[in-house]
Amino acid sequence: MYGDRAAVVPKRMLDVRVELAETAQIFDEQGVGTSARVNFETLRSALFFRYGFLDRLELSLEIPTIYRYRGFMGGAIEQVERVTTGLGGPRARLDGTGFVFDVTQSGRTLFSGGDGEFGLGDVSLFAKWQVAEERGLRPTAAFRFGLKLPTGEEGRVFGSGYPDVGLGLALEKTLATRWIAYVNVNGVFPTGTVSGLSLDPIFSSVTAVEYLWTPRFSLVLQFDYYTTPFDRTGFKLLDRDVTEVAAGFSYRLRDHILWQVYGVENVDFTTESAADFTLSTLVTYRFDTEAGAGRSARGPKT
């Protein structure tokens, strides 16, 4: 249940979005009967289709692919850490190890993978029903529904192997001439297990503020919180919740083309559970008509 605005795409309008997200992940955790050594980057690319089916109903489809490899951001992240907080423990301990992905529990491999693996991820279907438009103190509001299909290969950690169902509420409110606030509250309900581990419902919240610098350019600051679906596995990276801060910009290249760039940094209020850093870029093209001209595809995008 990605961050999203409450307003829906106008009826009979189609948005096509291409997204590339590069994520650095690094963990080094040893416990009684548990071991987690993770040091790689993931390039997640996705095609996203969003269609205005009715005046207040939007349908969408996301088709992701995943490429797991050594990556290129490690050196830059190390330099930033050295001149700010100091080189982090896992990154210092795994320095020079190259690609590693090995998570075991009581001698059993839970998650593993090799360098250069590529595959289809879990495809997701979404519906968003706008129930209110902004008026006075009332924000724009929409209910969201998501269905994740088990199209990714579970054995290579490209998917969970089971469908999931998501429900959410999205709010959007103009605070002043140039400021817009977004709030998402979501729940995801897994229907199976992952590597034999039982799963609890996942609850998340997304809070974002957008500043419209010009009619074509805006800045976004966003805070994300996710609960973990795992319970008492013995791993910090699985048992603890995730907190992140995202920042980025949106720039309208043409009337129907929107370009966005954002970065996501873990703030680790719960420590040692979030990915290290994500850098992403998105391009959205709107197949528009006069009736839908001027409606933006901006908003929170994590």
Side-chain angles (χ1 to χ4, degrees):
M1 300 296 286
Y2 56 90
D4 196 12
R5 59 183 311 195
V8 298
V9 172
K11 186 178 179 180
R12 292 191 295 273
M13 299 299 118
L14 173 67
D15 280 359
V16 178
R17 187 176 82 198
V18 179
E19 178 176 6
L20 297 174
E22 180 80 10
T23 300
Q25 299 162 103
I26 185 164
F27 301 96
D28 182 26
E29 182 182 338
Q30 310 299 319
V32 179
T34 61
S35 174
R37 299 179 75 245
V38 175
N39 187 13
F40 60 82
E41 292 182 19
T42 300
L43 176 62
R44 186 181 187 276
S45 54
L47 271 176
F48 193 92
F49 303 91
R50 189 191 306 254
Y51 181 68
F53 188 69
L54 298 173
D55 287 334
R56 291 179 176 268
L57 177 62
E58 169 188 300
L59 303 178
S60 51
L61 166 71
E62 184 185 39
I63 306 173
T65 61
I66 296 171
Y67 177 57
R68 192 180 297 120
Y69 70 121
R70 292 178 179 233
F72 62 89
M73 296 195 297
I77 294 174
E78 279 192 21
Q79 292 304 314
V80 171
E81 288 189 356
R82 289 183 188 278
V83 300
T84 55
T85 60
L87 192 62
R91 190 166 295 279
R93 293 193 296 271
L94 294 176
D95 188 34
T97 61
F99 182 100
V100 58
F101 185 15
D102 186 26
V103 181
T104 62
Q105 182 188 60
S106 302
R108 181 173 70 93
T109 298
L110 297 180
F111 307 105
S112 66
D115 190 4
E117 290 189 333
F118 173 82
L120 177 69
D122 284 343
V123 172
S124 296
L125 306 172
F126 300 96
K128 182 168 61 174
W129 178 256
Q130 185 177 325
V131 295
E133 291 189 5
E134 182 174 343
R135 182 174 300 170
L137 297 178
R138 185 183 69 188
T140 303
F143 291 116
R144 304 170 65 202
F145 172 80
L147 175 63
K148 193 205 70 176
L149 305 177
T151 54
E153 186 177 342
E154 181 185 7
R156 294 197 296 164
V157 202
F158 290 148
S160 69
Y162 294 90
D164 298 336
V165 174
L167 300 173
L169 171 67
L171 302 175
E172 177 179 339
K173 183 72 174 71
T174 301
L175 302 178
T177 305
R178 296 176 180 265
W179 293 91
I180 304 174
Y182 305 92
V183 175
N184 291 179
V185 180
N186 306 300
V188 174
F189 304 90
T191 64
T193 62
V194 170
S195 294
L197 301 174
S198 61
L199 301 176
D200 296 329
I202 306 165
F203 298 99
S204 66
S205 65
V206 176
T207 305
V209 177
E210 182 175 21
Y211 177 68
L212 306 180
W213 191 291
T214 71
R216 289 186 174 269
F217 181 78
S218 68
L219 301 171
V220 176
L221 182 65
Q222 179 172 315
F223 178 79
D224 307 328
Y225 171 74
Y226 305 86
T227 67
T228 176
F230 301 102
D231 184 29
R232 294 189 294 273
T233 67
F235 293 96
K236 295 177 183 177
L237 75 154
L238 297 181
D239 292 342
R240 296 184 174 183
D241 300 339
V242 170
T243 50
E244 300 174 328
V245 169
F249 68 83
S250 300
Y251 180 66
R252 189 169 299 282
L253 299 172
R254 298 287 187 273
D255 286 344
H256 304 300
I257 303 177
L258 183 72
W259 175 43
Q260 295 172 289
V261 174
Y262 68 83
V264 183
E265 173 69 16
N266 77 79
V267 290
D268 257 359
F269 293 155
T270 51
T271 71
E272 301 181 67
S273 56
D276 197 6
F277 181 74
T278 295
L279 180 64
S280 181
T281 184
L282 310 89
V283 175
T284 302
Y285 185 89
R286 171 160 293 179
F287 294 88
D288 215 341
T289 67
E290 184 178 353
R295 293 289 297 272
S296 171
R298 62 178 190 272
K301 287 297 175 187
T302 298

